[in-house]
mmCIF file with all atom_site columns, all heavy atoms in Angstrom:
data_model
loop_
_atom_site.group_PDB
_atom_site.id
_atom_site.type_symbol
_atom_site.label_atom_id
_atom_site.label_alt_id
_atom_site.label_comp_id
_atom_site.label_asym_id
_atom_site.label_entity_id
_atom_site.label_seq_id
_atom_site.pdbx_PDB_ins_code
_atom_site.Cartn_x
_atom_site.Cartn_y
_atom_site.Cartn_z
_atom_site.occupancy
_atom_site.B_iso_or_equiv
_atom_site.pdbx_formal_charge
_atom_site.auth_seq_id
_atom_site.auth_comp_id
_atom_site.auth_asym_id
_atom_site.auth_atom_id
_atom_site.pdbx_PDB_model_num
ATOM 1   N N   . GLU A 1 278 ? -46.576 -10.976 -32.269 1.00 98.00 ? 278 GLU A N   1
ATOM 2   C CA  . GLU A 1 278 ? -47.545 -9.913  -31.979 1.00 98.00 ? 278 GLU A CA  1
ATOM 3   C C   . GLU A 1 278 ? -47.065 -9.123  -30.772 1.00 98.00 ? 278 GLU A C   1
ATOM 4   O O   . GLU A 1 278 ? -46.633 -9.715  -29.774 1.00 98.00 ? 278 GLU A O   1
ATOM 5   C CB  . GLU A 1 278 ? -48.911 -10.521 -31.638 1.00 98.00 ? 278 GLU A CB  1
ATOM 6   C CG  . GLU A 1 278 ? -49.537 -11.326 -32.747 1.00 98.00 ? 278 GLU A CG  1
ATOM 7   C CD  . GLU A 1 278 ? -50.891 -11.907 -32.336 1.00 98.00 ? 278 GLU A CD  1
ATOM 8   O OE1 . GLU A 1 278 ? -51.406 -11.614 -31.238 1.00 98.00 ? 278 GLU A OE1 1
ATOM 9   O OE2 . GLU A 1 278 ? -51.432 -12.688 -33.129 1.00 98.00 ? 278 GLU A OE2 1
ATOM 10  N N   . MET A 1 279 ? -47.172 -7.784  -30.881 1.00 98.00 ? 279 MET A N   1
ATOM 11  C CA  . MET A 1 279 ? -46.678 -6.913  -29.817 1.00 98.00 ? 279 MET A CA  1
ATOM 12  C C   . MET A 1 279 ? -47.642 -5.758  -29.565 1.00 98.00 ? 279 MET A C   1
ATOM 13  O O   . MET A 1 279 ? -48.395 -5.380  -30.463 1.00 98.00 ? 279 MET A O   1
ATOM 14  C CB  . MET A 1 279 ? -45.323 -6.308  -30.222 1.00 98.00 ? 279 MET A CB  1
ATOM 15  C CG  . MET A 1 279 ? -44.208 -7.320  -30.295 1.00 98.00 ? 279 MET A CG  1
ATOM 16  S SD  . MET A 1 279 ? -42.815 -6.734  -31.295 1.00 98.00 ? 279 MET A SD  1
ATOM 17  C CE  . MET A 1 279 ? -43.375 -7.110  -32.936 1.00 98.00 ? 279 MET A CE  1
ATOM 18  N N   . PHE A 1 280 ? -47.562 -5.187  -28.367 1.00 98.00 ? 280 PHE A N   1
ATOM 19  C CA  . PHE A 1 280 ? -48.277 -3.944  -28.056 1.00 98.00 ? 280 PHE A CA  1
ATOM 20  C C   . PHE A 1 280 ? -47.259 -2.813  -28.073 1.00 98.00 ? 280 PHE A C   1
ATOM 21  O O   . PHE A 1 280 ? -46.106 -3.005  -27.664 1.00 98.00 ? 280 PHE A O   1
ATOM 22  C CB  . PHE A 1 280 ? -48.869 -3.997  -26.639 1.00 98.00 ? 280 PHE A CB  1
ATOM 23  C CG  . PHE A 1 280 ? -49.853 -5.109  -26.416 1.00 98.00 ? 280 PHE A CG  1
ATOM 24  C CD1 . PHE A 1 280 ? -49.497 -6.243  -25.676 1.00 98.00 ? 280 PHE A CD1 1
ATOM 25  C CD2 . PHE A 1 280 ? -51.149 -5.026  -26.909 1.00 98.00 ? 280 PHE A CD2 1
ATOM 26  C CE1 . PHE A 1 280 ? -50.402 -7.266  -25.451 1.00 98.00 ? 280 PHE A CE1 1
ATOM 27  C CE2 . PHE A 1 280 ? -52.066 -6.050  -26.689 1.00 98.00 ? 280 PHE A CE2 1
ATOM 28  C CZ  . PHE A 1 280 ? -51.693 -7.166  -25.957 1.00 98.00 ? 280 PHE A CZ  1
ATOM 29  N N   . LEU A 1 281 ? -47.700 -1.625  -28.506 1.00 98.00 ? 281 LEU A N   1
ATOM 30  C CA  . LEU A 1 281 ? -46.885 -0.424  -28.384 1.00 98.00 ? 281 LEU A CA  1
ATOM 31  C C   . LEU A 1 281 ? -47.595 0.491   -27.383 1.00 98.00 ? 281 LEU A C   1
ATOM 32  O O   . LEU A 1 281 ? -48.741 0.899   -27.612 1.00 98.00 ? 281 LEU A O   1
ATOM 33  C CB  . LEU A 1 281 ? -46.756 0.276   -29.742 1.00 98.00 ? 281 LEU A CB  1
ATOM 34  C CG  . LEU A 1 281 ? -46.054 1.622   -29.737 1.00 98.00 ? 281 LEU A CG  1
ATOM 35  C CD1 . LEU A 1 281 ? -44.597 1.496   -29.286 1.00 98.00 ? 281 LEU A CD1 1
ATOM 36  C CD2 . LEU A 1 281 ? -46.114 2.273   -31.118 1.00 98.00 ? 281 LEU A CD2 1
ATOM 37  N N   . THR A 1 282 ? -46.926 0.810   -26.279 1.00 96.00 ? 282 THR A N   1
ATOM 38  C CA  . THR A 1 282 ? -47.578 1.627   -25.243 1.00 96.00 ? 282 THR A CA  1
ATOM 39  C C   . THR A 1 282 ? -47.407 3.112   -25.570 1.00 96.00 ? 282 THR A C   1
ATOM 40  O O   . THR A 1 282 ? -46.594 3.488   -26.410 1.00 96.00 ? 282 THR A O   1
ATOM 41  C CB  . THR A 1 282 ? -46.958 1.356   -23.853 1.00 96.00 ? 282 THR A CB  1
ATOM 42  O OG1 . THR A 1 282 ? -45.607 1.844   -23.875 1.00 96.00 ? 282 THR A OG1 1
ATOM 43  C CG2 . THR A 1 282 ? -46.981 -0.107  -23.496 1.00 96.00 ? 282 THR A CG2 1
ATOM 44  N N   . ALA A 1 283 ? -48.163 3.939   -24.838 1.00 94.00 ? 283 ALA A N   1
ATOM 45  C CA  . ALA A 1 283 ? -48.096 5.395   -25.036 1.00 94.00 ? 283 ALA A CA  1
ATOM 46  C C   . ALA A 1 283 ? -46.680 5.900   -24.761 1.00 94.00 ? 283 ALA A C   1
ATOM 47  O O   . ALA A 1 283 ? -46.242 6.899   -25.328 1.00 94.00 ? 283 ALA A O   1
ATOM 48  C CB  . ALA A 1 283 ? -49.100 6.087   -24.127 1.00 94.00 ? 283 ALA A CB  1
ATOM 49  N N   . GLU A 1 284 ? -45.966 5.204   -23.873 1.00 93.00 ? 284 GLU A N   1
ATOM 50  C CA  . GLU A 1 284 ? -44.590 5.611   -23.538 1.00 93.00 ? 284 GLU A CA  1
ATOM 51  C C   . GLU A 1 284 ? -43.592 5.181   -24.610 1.00 93.00 ? 284 GLU A C   1
ATOM 52  O O   . GLU A 1 284 ? -42.399 5.484   -24.510 1.00 93.00 ? 284 GLU A O   1
ATOM 53  C CB  . GLU A 1 284 ? -44.142 5.006   -22.192 1.00 93.00 ? 284 GLU A CB  1
ATOM 54  C CG  . GLU A 1 284 ? -44.915 5.491   -20.966 1.00 93.00 ? 284 GLU A CG  1
ATOM 55  C CD  . GLU A 1 284 ? -46.311 4.899   -20.877 1.00 93.00 ? 284 GLU A CD  1
ATOM 56  O OE1 . GLU A 1 284 ? -46.491 3.709   -21.188 1.00 93.00 ? 284 GLU A OE1 1
ATOM 57  O OE2 . GLU A 1 284 ? -47.247 5.661   -20.533 1.00 93.00 ? 284 GLU A OE2 1
ATOM 58  N N   . GLY A 1 285 ? -44.073 4.463   -25.606 1.00 94.00 ? 285 GLY A N   1
ATOM 59  C CA  . GLY A 1 285 ? -43.184 4.028   -26.687 1.00 94.00 ? 285 GLY A CA  1
ATOM 60  C C   . GLY A 1 285 ? -42.512 2.688   -26.399 1.00 94.00 ? 285 GLY A C   1
ATOM 61  O O   . GLY A 1 285 ? -41.601 2.270   -27.121 1.00 94.00 ? 285 GLY A O   1
ATOM 62  N N   . ASP A 1 286 ? -42.986 1.992   -25.351 1.00 96.00 ? 286 ASP A N   1
ATOM 63  C CA  . ASP A 1 286 ? -42.410 0.671   -25.044 1.00 96.00 ? 286 ASP A CA  1
ATOM 64  C C   . ASP A 1 286 ? -43.097 -0.417  -25.862 1.00 96.00 ? 286 ASP A C   1
ATOM 65  O O   . ASP A 1 286 ? -44.298 -0.344  -26.132 1.00 96.00 ? 286 ASP A O   1
ATOM 66  C CB  . ASP A 1 286 ? -42.584 0.345   -23.548 1.00 96.00 ? 286 ASP A CB  1
ATOM 67  C CG  . ASP A 1 286 ? -41.775 1.285   -22.685 1.00 96.00 ? 286 ASP A CG  1
ATOM 68  O OD1 . ASP A 1 286 ? -40.685 1.700   -23.121 1.00 96.00 ? 286 ASP A OD1 1
ATOM 69  O OD2 . ASP A 1 286 ? -42.260 1.629   -21.585 1.00 96.00 ? 286 ASP A OD2 1
ATOM 70  N N   . ILE A 1 287 ? -42.318 -1.432  -26.184 1.00 98.00 ? 287 ILE A N   1
ATOM 71  C CA  . ILE A 1 287 ? -42.875 -2.570  -26.911 1.00 98.00 ? 287 ILE A CA  1
ATOM 72  C C   . ILE A 1 287 ? -43.014 -3.738  -25.949 1.00 98.00 ? 287 ILE A C   1
ATOM 73  O O   . ILE A 1 287 ? -42.067 -4.081  -25.231 1.00 98.00 ? 287 ILE A O   1
ATOM 74  C CB  . ILE A 1 287 ? -41.985 -2.918  -28.114 1.00 98.00 ? 287 ILE A CB  1
ATOM 75  C CG1 . ILE A 1 287 ? -42.225 -1.838  -29.181 1.00 98.00 ? 287 ILE A CG1 1
ATOM 76  C CG2 . ILE A 1 287 ? -42.290 -4.299  -28.675 1.00 98.00 ? 287 ILE A CG2 1
ATOM 77  C CD1 . ILE A 1 287 ? -41.234 -1.808  -30.264 1.00 98.00 ? 287 ILE A CD1 1
ATOM 78  N N   . ILE A 1 288 ? -44.208 -4.312  -25.917 1.00 98.00 ? 288 ILE A N   1
ATOM 79  C CA  . ILE A 1 288 ? -44.475 -5.455  -25.034 1.00 98.00 ? 288 ILE A CA  1
ATOM 80  C C   . ILE A 1 288 ? -44.899 -6.621  -25.907 1.00 98.00 ? 288 ILE A C   1
ATOM 81  O O   . ILE A 1 288 ? -45.822 -6.494  -26.730 1.00 98.00 ? 288 ILE A O   1
ATOM 82  C CB  . ILE A 1 288 ? -45.582 -5.107  -24.009 1.00 98.00 ? 288 ILE A CB  1
ATOM 83  C CG1 . ILE A 1 288 ? -45.086 -3.960  -23.106 1.00 98.00 ? 288 ILE A CG1 1
ATOM 84  C CG2 . ILE A 1 288 ? -45.967 -6.315  -23.177 1.00 98.00 ? 288 ILE A CG2 1
ATOM 85  C CD1 . ILE A 1 288 ? -46.111 -3.493  -22.117 1.00 98.00 ? 288 ILE A CD1 1
ATOM 86  N N   . PHE A 1 289 ? -44.229 -7.738  -25.727 1.00 98.00 ? 289 PHE A N   1
ATOM 87  C CA  . PHE A 1 289 ? -44.543 -8.947  -26.507 1.00 98.00 ? 289 PHE A CA  1
ATOM 88  C C   . PHE A 1 289 ? -45.910 -9.478  -26.085 1.00 98.00 ? 289 PHE A C   1
ATOM 89  O O   . PHE A 1 289 ? -46.199 -9.567  -24.899 1.00 98.00 ? 289 PHE A O   1
ATOM 90  C CB  . PHE A 1 289 ? -43.438 -9.980  -26.238 1.00 98.00 ? 289 PHE A CB  1
ATOM 91  C CG  . PHE A 1 289 ? -43.760 -11.353 -26.735 1.00 98.00 ? 289 PHE A CG  1
ATOM 92  C CD1 . PHE A 1 289 ? -43.632 -11.666 -28.083 1.00 98.00 ? 289 PHE A CD1 1
ATOM 93  C CD2 . PHE A 1 289 ? -44.181 -12.351 -25.856 1.00 98.00 ? 289 PHE A CD2 1
ATOM 94  C CE1 . PHE A 1 289 ? -43.933 -12.942 -28.552 1.00 98.00 ? 289 PHE A CE1 1
ATOM 95  C CE2 . PHE A 1 289 ? -44.475 -13.625 -26.309 1.00 98.00 ? 289 PHE A CE2 1
ATOM 96  C CZ  . PHE A 1 289 ? -44.352 -13.916 -27.658 1.00 98.00 ? 289 PHE A CZ  1
ATOM 97  N N   . ASN A 1 290 ? -46.740 -9.863  -27.065 1.00 98.00 ? 290 ASN A N   1
ATOM 98  C CA  . ASN A 1 290 ? -48.028 -10.495 -26.740 1.00 98.00 ? 290 ASN A CA  1
ATOM 99  C C   . ASN A 1 290 ? -47.955 -12.006 -26.955 1.00 98.00 ? 290 ASN A C   1
ATOM 100 O O   . ASN A 1 290 ? -48.043 -12.778 -26.005 1.00 98.00 ? 290 ASN A O   1
ATOM 101 C CB  . ASN A 1 290 ? -49.167 -9.874  -27.559 1.00 98.00 ? 290 ASN A CB  1
ATOM 102 C CG  . ASN A 1 290 ? -50.506 -10.571 -27.330 1.00 98.00 ? 290 ASN A CG  1
ATOM 103 O OD1 . ASN A 1 290 ? -50.725 -11.153 -26.280 1.00 98.00 ? 290 ASN A OD1 1
ATOM 104 N ND2 . ASN A 1 290 ? -51.381 -10.541 -28.313 1.00 98.00 ? 290 ASN A ND2 1
ATOM 105 N N   . GLU A 1 291 ? -47.749 -12.436 -28.185 1.00 98.00 ? 291 GLU A N   1
ATOM 106 C CA  . GLU A 1 291 ? -47.655 -13.882 -28.418 1.00 98.00 ? 291 GLU A CA  1
ATOM 107 C C   . GLU A 1 291 ? -46.998 -14.138 -29.767 1.00 98.00 ? 291 GLU A C   1
ATOM 108 O O   . GLU A 1 291 ? -46.910 -13.256 -30.608 1.00 98.00 ? 291 GLU A O   1
ATOM 109 C CB  . GLU A 1 291 ? -49.030 -14.560 -28.357 1.00 98.00 ? 291 GLU A CB  1
ATOM 110 C CG  . GLU A 1 291 ? -49.973 -14.095 -29.427 1.00 98.00 ? 291 GLU A CG  1
ATOM 111 C CD  . GLU A 1 291 ? -51.214 -14.980 -29.545 1.00 98.00 ? 291 GLU A CD  1
ATOM 112 O OE1 . GLU A 1 291 ? -51.222 -16.105 -29.010 1.00 98.00 ? 291 GLU A OE1 1
ATOM 113 O OE2 . GLU A 1 291 ? -52.165 -14.549 -30.216 1.00 98.00 ? 291 GLU A OE2 1
ATOM 114 N N   . CYS A 1 292 ? -46.550 -15.382 -29.913 1.00 98.00 ? 292 CYS A N   1
ATOM 115 C CA  . CYS A 1 292 ? -45.889 -15.776 -31.155 1.00 98.00 ? 292 CYS A CA  1
ATOM 116 C C   . CYS A 1 292 ? -46.635 -16.964 -31.753 1.00 98.00 ? 292 CYS A C   1
ATOM 117 O O   . CYS A 1 292 ? -47.026 -17.889 -31.038 1.00 98.00 ? 292 CYS A O   1
ATOM 118 C CB  . CYS A 1 292 ? -44.437 -16.169 -30.849 1.00 98.00 ? 292 CYS A CB  1
ATOM 119 S SG  . CYS A 1 292 ? -43.571 -16.788 -32.304 1.00 98.00 ? 292 CYS A SG  1
ATOM 120 N N   . ALA A 1 293 ? -46.853 -16.924 -33.067 1.00 98.00 ? 293 ALA A N   1
ATOM 121 C CA  . ALA A 1 293 ? -47.460 -18.054 -33.782 1.00 98.00 ? 293 ALA A CA  1
ATOM 122 C C   . ALA A 1 293 ? -46.407 -18.572 -34.769 1.00 98.00 ? 293 ALA A C   1
ATOM 123 O O   . ALA A 1 293 ? -45.974 -17.832 -35.646 1.00 98.00 ? 293 ALA A O   1
ATOM 124 C CB  . ALA A 1 293 ? -48.708 -17.596 -34.519 1.00 98.00 ? 293 ALA A CB  1
ATOM 125 N N   . PRO A 1 294 ? -45.969 -19.821 -34.626 1.00 98.00 ? 294 PRO A N   1
ATOM 126 C CA  . PRO A 1 294 ? -44.865 -20.323 -35.451 1.00 98.00 ? 294 PRO A CA  1
ATOM 127 C C   . PRO A 1 294 ? -45.338 -20.861 -36.803 1.00 98.00 ? 294 PRO A C   1
ATOM 128 O O   . PRO A 1 294 ? -45.210 -22.041 -37.101 1.00 98.00 ? 294 PRO A O   1
ATOM 129 C CB  . PRO A 1 294 ? -44.282 -21.438 -34.585 1.00 98.00 ? 294 PRO A CB  1
ATOM 130 C CG  . PRO A 1 294 ? -45.446 -21.955 -33.815 1.00 98.00 ? 294 PRO A CG  1
ATOM 131 C CD  . PRO A 1 294 ? -46.418 -20.826 -33.640 1.00 98.00 ? 294 PRO A CD  1
#
Side-chain angles (χ1 to χ4, degrees):
E278 298 180 6
M279 292 160 278
F280 300 105
L281 174 63
T282 67
E284 295 74 39
D286 294 326
I287 286 166
I288 297 177
F289 168 78
N290 176 26
E291 63 168 345
C292 176

